[in-house]
DNA sequence: TTCTGTGAATAGGTTCACAGCT
DNA sequence: AGCTGTGAACCTATTCACAGAA
């Protein structure tokens, strides 16, 4: 089984969403159909799917259910994930209440915050905890993924606590590069940079139309 | 002046942030230093900067202020942008109050919502308007960028209104591919897909450590 | 005929390595 | 010596085009 690139992973997420939206009576789907839905080419779709073994049928297409569960396997979505969130601001609130996470098996089980005024407040049943107890809590029972929604100044410090607590995957919304050991994966979502990429495109018919 | 790739644009955003954080007495910065800050290589930095003309000085480095304003030029950040947001949910609230946007010249000037209970509510001085008047408002005075934070079912419909209202750039937080004309740029931020990319990495020491 | 699987060709992005300023 | 600018090499991703199975 070959190496799978980051852009392929991103597209697999997309394909999975489309497969799950298919009418239940529909049995198979062609690479061409998936390509139209996802805004790529059929060759691209076939290459992506080939990256983890071939099981489409020539002349027919791909069996929808098999393909979906195969993609879930690749993306590691057959299991549940324990997620904690640090930073009980507006962005934290938006993410805690985002239904798409739980649907995919990402369960936010704790929220941490530094501001004493926020500690103890409940967000739909989840009591906001003191970030001071984060490291201890992580050592007591471990979590899979952490989401950082703190102000930028606090982010690296929090990342340190997470790493020491054994967290191996971090989704970071603070606009900074986090220094972490080799075996920890970080994805940074930088809202301002997203807008900047749009202003770049406006300034010169640049990157073009990319979805 | 050559074509600039999407990944270069993303890195330029990063570089700009670092340049702005430099101590004011610091005059120049080397590609090596920028590389360390941004987690790339010096060769990569030099290539990125070369994409829009050479004005570093051999043996010295790049003049910080010049470089910063040149990058601002490339990214189209010398001007102000008028931005509207559609969908006054928690994510909308998080973005409206995010200080990083205004700092960069992205001014959210109106918020639209479908739910009548929300219409008229004020978010730090901004009165939430009926999405029914969106298209008319856009035609009266145009905006540069729109941010969609509606539920996924409403997103395509809103995108249609935006396009008819002359908006040429859309930042989309609904997990769906928006169909828009060629001359409209869309960037979709898919939160669930970000987590899926992390679960993929956890499932197999996959993509590796990418910042 | 339809639609996958895949080698080969192409394009695109990154790294190397070194000439040339300061 | 220090550090940029840049051709060339390299590596990775995408597209082409067609053989082969249903």
């Amino acid at each position: 089984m070959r190496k799978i690139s980051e852009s392929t992973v991103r597209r697999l997420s997309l394909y999975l969403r489309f497969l799950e939206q298919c009418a239940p009576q529909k049995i198979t789907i062609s690479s061409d159909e998936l390509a139209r839905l996802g805004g790529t080419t059929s060759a691209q779709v076939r290459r992506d799917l080939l990256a983890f073994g071939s099981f489409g049928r020539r002349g027919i297409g791909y069996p929808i259910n098999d393909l979906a569960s195969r993609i879930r396997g690749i993306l590691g979505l057959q299991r549940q994930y324990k997620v904690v969130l640090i930073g009980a601001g507006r962005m934290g609130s938006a993410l805690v209440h985002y239904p798409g996470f739980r649907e995919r098996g990402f369960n936010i089980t704790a929220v941490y915050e530094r501001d004493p005024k926020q500690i103890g407040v409940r967000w739909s049943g989840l009591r906001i905890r003191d970030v001071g107890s984060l490291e201890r809590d992580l050592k007591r029972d471990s979590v899979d993924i952490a989401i950082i929604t703190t102000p930028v100044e606090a982010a690296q410090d929090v990342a340190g606590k997470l790493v020491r607590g054994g967290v191996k995957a971090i989704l970071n919304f603070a606009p900074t590069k986090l220094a972490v050991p080799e075996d920890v994966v970080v994805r940074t979502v930088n809202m301002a940079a997203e807008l900047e990429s749009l202003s770049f495109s406006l300034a010169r018919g640049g990157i073009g139309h990319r979805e």
Side-chain angles (χ1 to χ4, degrees), chain A residues 19 63 76 109 120 122 124 152 160 176 198:
Chain A
L19 293 171
T109 59
R122 283 182 175 278
S124 47
V152 62
T176 185
L198 287 179

Side-chain angles (χ1 to χ4, degrees), chain A residues 21 38 44 59 83 91 100 107 142 149 174 200:
Chain A
Q21 283 165 4
Q44 179 74 80
V83 180
M91 180 58 71
N107 304 302
S142 66
T149 50
F200 168 81

Side-chain angles (χ1 to χ4, degrees), chain A residues 149-174:
Chain A
T149 50
T150 64
V152 62
E153 315 82 58
Q156 181 60 59
D157 184 55
V158 166
K161 291 188 209 292
L162 292 170
V163 167
R164 286 191 297 279
V167 174
K168 296 295 181 212
I170 298 174
L171 184 58
N172 172 38
F173 286 84

